[in-house]
Amino acid sequence: SYELTQPPSVSVSPGQTATVTCSGDDLGHKYASWYQQKPGQSPVLVLYQDTKRPSGIPERFSGSNSGNTATLTISGTQAMDEADYYCQAWDTSAYFFGTGTKVTVL
Amino acid sequence: QVQLVQSGAEVKKPGASVKVSCKASGYTFTSHDINWVRQAPGQGLEWMGWMNPKYGNTDYAQKFQGRVTMTRDTSISTAYMELTSLRLDDTAVYYCARGIQLWHMFDYWGQGHLVTVSS
């Protein structure tokens, strides 16, 4: 089994930068994806292949992945960005999700 | 536009089985994997397995091997996930998601299907 660890919560003021980390063994050599999930809704892909944004995802979402840590950065955070965020990676023929981080916009 | 439409919620008794459907539209059904992910109430996402709709081959997460079966009907672009020997802790929302294996990501998700296991 492959473990991906995220901080349970991150708080950010509107307009500031939120940083969510995802730690896993040798994660930098795998593709990391990130999903946003709002209450009562299905997850939405916000980043894939570490840094790529799907069509329709705002430029304020960016990512990096190196060593054992992948990072999701939300620049100029807006109230609509308040949600749970999950990282994901593939290892030994299986997908694994991170433990999830609740981003609160205060 | 790509859509994955899932069947409605249901209640099952412990020991029973459930079969959840996922109807795809807006793309060629056989061109992309279908993955199944579940989420227990208040918990995180848990990957259950994937199926290649073109060939029907599957791969299941170790936790669910022996209890889960993923199938498809290409004539109606629908994928199915059956989970047997249900337990109380199988209560969850079950999602289907289209997978892009090249980049190891899921780009479209169904709306979810709530399965409640209760005696």
Side-chain angles (χ1 to χ4, degrees):
Chain A
S1 187
Y2 184 71
E3 293 186 1
L4 292 169
T5 303
Q6 301 178 231
S9 62
V10 167
S11 296
V12 60
S13 300
Q16 299 305 301
T17 297
T19 301
V20 182
T21 57
C22 172
S23 297
D25 187 44
D26 202 29
L27 181 57
H29 284 106
K30 310 177 194 304
Y31 285 145
S33 301
W34 290 89
Y35 301 87
Q36 175 194 71
Q37 186 180 34
K38 297 181 179 179
Q41 297 184 18
S42 302
V44 172
L45 177 70
V46 294
L47 288 178
Y48 67 99
Q49 211 175 339
D50 302 334
T51 61
K52 292 181 167 52
R53 283 178 290 104
S55 173
I57 299 302
E59 290 184 10
R60 62 179 181 273
F61 288 88
S62 62
S64 63
N65 187 12
S66 179
N68 295 321
T69 303
T71 301
L72 166 70
T73 302
I74 312 173
S75 304
T77 306
Q78 300 182 9
M80 68 173 63
D81 300 329
E82 186 164 287
D84 293 327
Y85 291 84
Y86 295 91
C87 60
Q88 177 206 38
W90 167 268
D91 180 77
T92 336
S93 302
Y95 285 104
F96 296 91
F97 287 96
T99 49
T101 298
K102 181 174 182 57
V103 171
T104 301
V105 183
L106 299 171
Chain B
Q1 73 283 20
V2 173
Q3 281 192 305
L4 298 174
V5 177
Q6 299 188 237
S7 44
E10 58 191 307
V11 180
K12 293 290 186 180
K13 292 201 178 299
S17 298
V18 68
K19 190 170 185 177
V20 180
S21 66
C22 173
K23 182 171 178 59
S25 62
Y27 74 100
T28 302
F29 177 62
T30 52
S31 296
H32 299 284
D33 299 339
I34 293 290
N35 290 261
W36 291 89
V37 176
R38 77 176 186 179
Q39 186 172 37
Q43 302 301 308
L45 303 173
E46 182 176 33
W47 180 74
M48 299 179 70
W50 66 266
M51 179 195 63
N52 179 317
K54 183 173 184 178
Y55 301 111
N57 54 303
T58 57
D59 197 9
Y60 305 138
Q62 193 167 12
K63 175 178 179 177
F64 299 101
Q65 285 181 4
R67 277 211 306 146
V68 71
T69 304
M70 297 176 188
T71 57
R72 89 288 192 217
D73 183 339
T74 56
S75 68
I76 55 172
S77 299
T78 300
Y80 302 94
M81 186 283 300
E82 183 173 25
L83 189 63
T84 61
S85 302
L86 289 170
R87 305 186 288 251
L88 297 179
D89 63 0
D90 288 319
T91 294
V93 176
Y94 290 78
Y95 295 101
C96 60
R98 191 178 83 162
I100 306 297
Q101 205 168 70
L102 179 64
W103 297 316
H104 296 159
M105 56 84 152
F106 304 158
D107 60 349
Y108 290 93
W109 294 63
Q111 83 274 25
H113 177 107
L114 175 62
V115 176
T116 302
V117 183
S118 173
S119 55

